[in-house]
Amino acid sequence: MDDIRTFLPGIGEEEYAIRAKMRSYRNAASGMIRATQSDTARQLAWIASDYITLWIYSPAIEVELEDLNTFFRRLLVTAIQAERIDMEGPRT
């Protein structure tokens, strides 16, 4: 059984798709938390993961969920950028 359908059995297909994308962002954040060597990237990924966990099963309208997904995507892109910057290190 799907976790989203278990906790929100009455939602429509469009809302399900939005929440499934949110779940994908949480999975990506979890992967970064495990794999990154960058403390900054890890912190940003934790923020994303915690925030997504707060919202993934919470009541919200689709417009709010889309806005949240935009925020989560941007936060993860920022974490990826921080990881790249940290791994390159300062130029001397």
Side-chain angles (χ1 to χ4, degrees):
M1 188 71 155
D2 182 84
D3 60 322
I4 295 170
R5 293 279 185 216
T6 298
F7 293 110
L8 301 165
I11 64 172
E13 291 304 313
E14 196 166 325
E15 183 177 347
Y16 176 84
I18 296 167
R19 290 179 187 273
K21 183 184 283 189
M22 194 178 291
R23 179 177 54 200
S24 294
Y25 289 144
R26 186 177 62 186
N27 291 344
S30 295
M32 178 169 269
I33 290 164
R34 259 191 335 271
T36 189
Q37 306 252 335
S38 165
D39 291 339
T40 303
R42 187 177 305 103
Q43 288 173 341
L44 290 167
W46 270 116
I47 291 168
S49 178
D50 289 347
Y51 216 124
I52 293 165
T53 299
L54 176 67
W55 279 99
I56 195 167
Y57 308 117
S58 295
I61 60 174
E62 290 174 13
V63 172
E64 292 170 326
L65 294 172
E66 287 284 7
D67 193 40
L68 285 162
N69 273 344
T70 298
F71 170 66
F72 299 144
R73 181 183 56 78
R74 289 176 180 165
L75 189 54
L76 289 171
V77 167
T78 303
I80 292 166
Q81 186 174 15
E83 180 179 49
R84 188 172 52 244
I85 290 167
D86 286 351
M87 294 304 102
E88 290 173 1
R91 293 192 178 117
T92 53

